Amino acid sequence: MGTAATSSNIHSSVAEFIAARRPMLINGKWVEAVSGKTFPTYDPSTGEVLANVAEGDREDIDLAVKAARAAFDRGPWRRMTPSERGKLMWKLADLIDAHTQEFAELEALDNGKPMTVARAADVPLAAEMFRYMAGWATKIEGSTIPLSVPYTPGARYHAYTVREPIGVVGQIIPWNFPLLMAAWKLGPALATGCTIVLKPAEQTPLSALRLGELIVEAGFPEGVVNIVTGYGETAGAALAAHPDVDKIAFTGSTEVGKLIVHAAAGNLKKVTLELGGKSPNVILKDADLSTAIPGAASAIFFNQGQCCCAGSRLYVEQAVYDEVLEGISNEAKKIRVGPGMHPKTQLGPLVSDEQFKRVTGYIDAGFKEGARAATGGKQIGNKGYFVEPTVLVDTKANMKVVQEEIGGPVVTAMPFQDLDSLVPMANDSAYGLAAGIWTRDIAKAHQVAEELRAGTVWINCYNIFDAALPFGGYKQSGWGREMGEEALRLYTETKAVCARYA
Ligand code: NAI
Ligand code: MG
């Protein structure tokens, strides 16, 4: 473990940003909560308070929804050309790029992730998301449709569809990729011309608030993007239930996803969900193990294992099981664990005390059910939320650690005999978010890709994301897709217009 961040190695603008209590963005203004309350956000490498943030609740959500509604119905946003919308989004992307280091530090301090990783992945991916979606703003097209109406003989019609923005959108995001999740959500909503109330996770509100400043700087009209910070059970629940919100987009736990569906029933707002996962990662005996082994390690240990798509169930063909197990255990031991701000850190702390307790609780439950740690299994140090990269063996299909999402750097490694027995094992999950397959046999790769019930299948790679590539889940991993053209459909309503001309 390296030394913790000191104020001297924090960018001066970041130090200033966290020193002041952070208000929320409603109708283009930075405001305190109606209640005047604030809540703390913590540095997970120390457990100490990092900053204080306005604690939004029902009344604040209501004000934000009113602002978003007014901006949607009457604001200049409505009258802007798609090209003008795209230019604003592109400008925002450039602003994000210009503040890469700041964002990387905010993520490292607030979430705990390695600053170097945030700089190389989270921040540039967020900027690219806005650029990709900026291009779509001018390409949201309908179609012309020939009609054959039987009960108006001889009549002629010109019929077409228009794809209109769905309206006021509530977006609730998690703490694992705070800035990037904001970008995944805002990108398609802005491209299609919606207005937004965004609620960041209470564990990691800072980068979204900084993004809000750049949204104002870029020149988005007031009320188009509102950012309300606060807790899930209060602000989040109020947003999900709000009668004047047309759509709610949520990323987080499957448990809360189900609450969102219930809350949305009141006005039958549209719902998209990106939920948990327990993704199988499969290594066949003919795989190039020199890439499959580090690939499987990174599939689970990237972002402290706090990825909904983490390759948390590793299935290895019997003939190479021992070699892979030894290899991945060695990879796990090599990982440099430390505070996210330390430039050499590869794996940071878990995001919160709650997550730390959840992950260590799962490891203990695994041990009680008879699993064994080939490596790891323990807390590191006694300050902050550090957990050793852990490989569990002697696991059985029905164990909690094999069935449930752990959300930490914990992988179960299990051998399999052949593809026929593998596929049902890999699909034996309530989830279906992602999967990986490592092999040199292209036929087997595509065969397994076809049979796995998952929204993303990576072949000889893992955790590859692109703004153009749709992402989302089968089964209880969610509804709908994010990114790519698919995401845009879920932010538009289709209007059919039918005109008789003869
Ligand atoms: P969570 O689902 O409670 O939190 C995600 C977001 O939902 C946060 O913004 C939170 O404030 C909000 N929220 C919570 N309760 C709400 C409610 N009743 N109504 C509306 N919004 C609400 O996730 P949590 O508790 O932080 O983590 C629990 C587990 O969920 C993790 O261990 C992990 O396994 C999984 N998870 C999955 C994520 C993913 O990317 N799909 C992200 C975060 C967590
Ligand atoms: Mg929760």
Side-chain angles (χ1 to χ4, degrees):
M1 296 247 296
T3 48
T6 60
S7 53
S8 61
N9 59 13
I10 297 177
H11 197 286
S12 59
S13 59
V14 173
E16 267 169 53
F17 190 77
I18 59 180
R21 60 190 247 180
R22 302 308 330 168
M24 345 181 247
L25 181 62
I26 298 181
N27 208 23
K29 316 231 161 24
W30 291 98
V31 296
E32 297 296 336
V34 172
S35 68
K37 285 202 229 167
T38 62
F39 69 100
T41 176
Y42 300 90
D43 175 346
S45 71
T46 60
E48 283 158 20
V49 174
L50 177 67
N52 286 291
V53 175
E55 186 185 330
D57 201 335
R58 182 172 306 276
E59 285 114 316
D60 309 282
I61 288 288
D62 206 40
L63 292 172
V65 171
K66 283 201 173 79
R69 175 58 60 192
F72 185 75
D73 289 346
R74 303 185 293 279
W77 186 238
R78 194 63 192 258
R79 293 185 299 276
M80 269 186 193
T81 64
S83 169
E84 285 167 331
R85 280 207 309 275
K87 278 182 201 149
L88 283 175
M89 295 175 70
W90 195 279
K91 192 162 172 196
L92 178 59
D94 286 346
L95 284 169
I96 293 170
D97 278 345
H99 296 275
T100 300
Q101 181 60 23
E102 257 184 273
F103 275 115
E105 292 185 19
L106 277 176
E107 297 296 64
L109 289 165
D110 209 11
N111 163 283
K113 68 176 62 203
M115 184 244 294
T116 51
V117 172
R119 204 167 51 201
D122 300 55
V123 185
L125 282 173
E128 277 309 297
M129 185 70 195
F130 286 112
R131 286 199 186 94
Y132 171 85
M133 287 295 173
W136 270 115
T138 49
K139 298 164 195 73
I140 317 279
E141 298 174 348
S143 41
T144 54
I145 298 164
L147 303 191
S148 317
V149 183
Y151 50 82
T152 54
R156 297 170 74 184
Y157 298 95
H158 175 55
Y160 58 94
T161 57
V162 193
R163 285 171 61 199
E164 297 182 342
I166 210 164
V168 173
V169 176
Q171 303 186 316
I172 301 176
I173 55 172
W175 39 258
N176 49 357
F177 295 87
L179 176 70
L180 186 57
M181 291 302 103
W184 281 21
K185 289 280 181 285
L186 292 172
L190 292 170
T192 49
C194 296
T195 60
I196 298 130
V197 178
L198 176 76
K199 197 208 77 69
E202 56 270 35
Q203 295 85 351
T204 55
L206 297 178
S207 56
L209 292 173
R210 184 70 185 103
L211 181 67
E213 294 184 340
L214 300 187
I215 286 168
V216 173
E217 189 179 333
F220 283 88
E222 62 186 27
V224 170
V225 179
N226 305 274
I227 304 176
V228 177
T229 43
Y231 292 101
E233 297 75 10
T234 52
L239 185 57
H242 202 290
D244 206 24
V245 169
D246 299 301
K247 171 198 162 103
I248 191 96
F250 171 79
T251 298
S253 60
T254 292
E255 183 191 351
V256 174
K258 291 178 185 179
L259 295 177
I260 301 280
V261 170
H262 284 286
N267 70 335
L268 283 179
K269 57 174 70 65
K270 299 338 184 235
V271 179
T272 48
L273 304 168
E274 203 260 272
L275 307 175
K278 190 73 183 174
S279 299
N281 192 15
V282 179
I283 300 183
L284 302 190
K285 67 179 180 215
D286 65 31
D288 172 6
L289 295 186
S290 71
T291 58
I293 289 171
S298 149
I300 180 64
F301 300 131
F302 174 66
N303 210 43
Q304 298 67 245
Q306 299 172 139
C307 294
C308 41
C309 54
S312 51
R313 290 184 291 143
L314 180 62
Y315 294 102
V316 186
E317 197 161 358
Q318 184 71 62
V320 292
Y321 179 75
D322 290 340
E323 187 180 349
V324 169
L325 183 63
E326 194 191 333
I328 191 172
S329 300
N330 288 338
E331 292 287 332
K333 284 179 208 143
K334 274 196 313 209
I335 295 172
R336 282 191 296 267
V337 183
M341 283 298 290
H342 195 286
K344 291 223 157 72
T345 291
Q346 295 171 316
L347 188 127
L350 295 174
V351 70
S352 65
D353 186 41
E354 183 189 3
Q355 194 64 10
F356 173 80
K357 288 186 175 129
R358 184 179 287 129
V359 171
T360 49
Y362 270 114
I363 295 174
D364 290 342
F367 292 156
K368 284 207 188 81
E369 289 188 289
R372 188 168 57 77
T375 185
K378 293 194 292 293
Q379 174 176 12
I380 304 177
N382 51 16
K383 197 176 72 164
Y385 311 127
F386 296 93
V387 172
E388 288 177 333
T390 299
V391 180
L392 295 179
V393 292
D394 299 344
T395 51
K396 303 216 167 47
N398 59 355
M399 286 183 183
K400 262 168 80 106
V401 288
V402 178
Q403 289 294 329
E404 295 178 26
E405 180 172 48
I406 298 177
V410 183
V411 64
T412 59
M414 289 186 272
F416 69 90
Q417 300 302 333
D418 51 36
L419 283 190
D420 287 344
S421 60
L422 166 81
V423 168
M425 260 197 308
N427 280 333
D428 177 20
S429 172
Y431 296 113
L433 193 56
I437 163 110
W438 303 80
T439 177
R440 287 188 173 105
D441 184 329
I442 193 165
K444 279 185 183 165
H446 290 296
Q447 191 189 329
V448 176
E450 181 182 279
E451 294 192 55
L452 292 177
R453 305 258 303 145
T456 296
V457 178
W458 284 297
I459 299 173
N460 294 327
C461 60
Y462 208 95
N463 282 334
I464 299 303
F465 294 99
D466 191 285
L469 195 61
F471 181 80
Y474 283 40
K475 299 194 263 183
Q476 293 192 36
S477 289
W479 290 354
R481 293 293 179 270
E482 299 202 90
M483 304 199 284
E485 187 181 0
E486 297 248 345
L488 296 159
R489 297 186 202 290
L490 301 165
Y491 283 89
T492 56
E493 292 277 17
T494 299
K495 179 178 282 175
V497 181
C498 171
R500 180 167 177 170
Y501 64 88

